[in-house]
Amino acid sequence: MTQRTFVSALMGLVLLTTACGKKAEPVVTPQPATRPTTAVDNDARARQIADSIRAANAANAERLRVAAAEAERLRAALVNEIAETIHFEYNMDAISADDQARLDRKAAILRANPALKIRVTGHADERGSDEYNIALGMRRAVAAKAYLTGKGIDAGRVEVASLGREVPIDAGSTEAAWARNRRDEFEITAGGQSLVKPN
């Protein structure tokens, strides 16, 4: 082996050794620079959360207010329907077809609200004696109660009374005034705080 061949072989060996012994450099993915969290950032985040909670609470309060207003509007409408008077012909206690429809609606409200109790008060016009008109007013109140119990309302939920001619709603002495005074009035005596609409 010549010196030249030897030097070439030695050089090749050195190159091969350095190439094999060299480790590959790891690939490093650059990370985005992060800013340290500060007290200002925390305060801003806390304010955002507090604002979100306040907004949610305000929305819930508004929903509750609207629901309560609707429930009260419905309750008032049902109270007014219960309070509608019915009227009678002179010296009669028979219930007219129009007033039967009113009593049907009252019965439906009573069925939908089992805690509801009412009083029916019968009235008469000014003609006739006090005793006669008290009795006539009672017959009128009892007629309305009988109609309601005939529609399935428990008799214990309907109280009756008579005021005869003592409390006119029209003080006139005309046929029109007398017709207005011959009536049954209805009032809620229990269970009217929250009412549900009949189906």
Side-chain angles (χ1 to χ4, degrees), residues 50-123:
D51 289 345
S52 295
I53 291 170
R54 272 194 295 277
N57 287 342
N60 285 337
E62 179 61 13
R63 276 193 294 275
L64 289 173
R65 186 196 67 73
V66 168
E70 177 58 21
E72 179 52 31
R73 185 200 63 73
L74 174 63
R75 190 194 76 80
L78 294 173
V79 167
N80 288 340
E81 204 159 353
I82 287 288
E84 281 185 356
T85 59
I86 63 173
H87 293 87
F88 297 88
E89 294 298 321
Y90 174 65
N91 204 28
M92 301 291 289
D93 58 26
I95 297 169
S96 71
D98 285 348
D99 287 333
Q100 286 177 10
R102 286 186 184 87
L103 291 174
D104 287 341
R105 289 195 301 275
K106 293 178 199 304
I109 295 167
L110 285 159
R111 275 194 298 276
N113 297 277
L116 186 62
K117 294 183 179 182
I118 63 170
R119 178 184 300 117
V120 185
T121 305
H123 297 266

Side-chain angles (χ1 to χ4, degrees), residues 87-88 125 127 174-183:
H87 293 87
F88 297 88
D125 64 34
R127 296 170 291 180
T174 64
E175 285 296 335
W178 293 333
R180 281 192 286 277
N181 291 333
R182 294 190 302 263
R183 70 198 188 277

Side-chain angles (χ1 to χ4, degrees), residues 133-190:
N133 283 318
I134 287 288
L136 180 57
M138 184 57 77
R139 287 198 312 271
R140 288 170 173 165
V142 168
K145 177 176 180 171
Y147 188 91
L148 292 171
T149 57
K151 295 293 180 177
I153 305 305
D154 184 88
R157 297 173 63 195
V158 184
E159 179 185 331
V160 291
S162 174
L163 292 174
R165 64 183 185 176
E166 298 304 312
V167 187
I169 54 172
D170 189 327
S173 292
T174 64
E175 285 296 335
W178 293 333
R180 281 192 286 277
N181 291 333
R182 294 190 302 263
R183 70 198 188 277
D184 275 347
E185 292 181 331
F186 299 81
E187 64 180 305
I188 293 173
T189 58

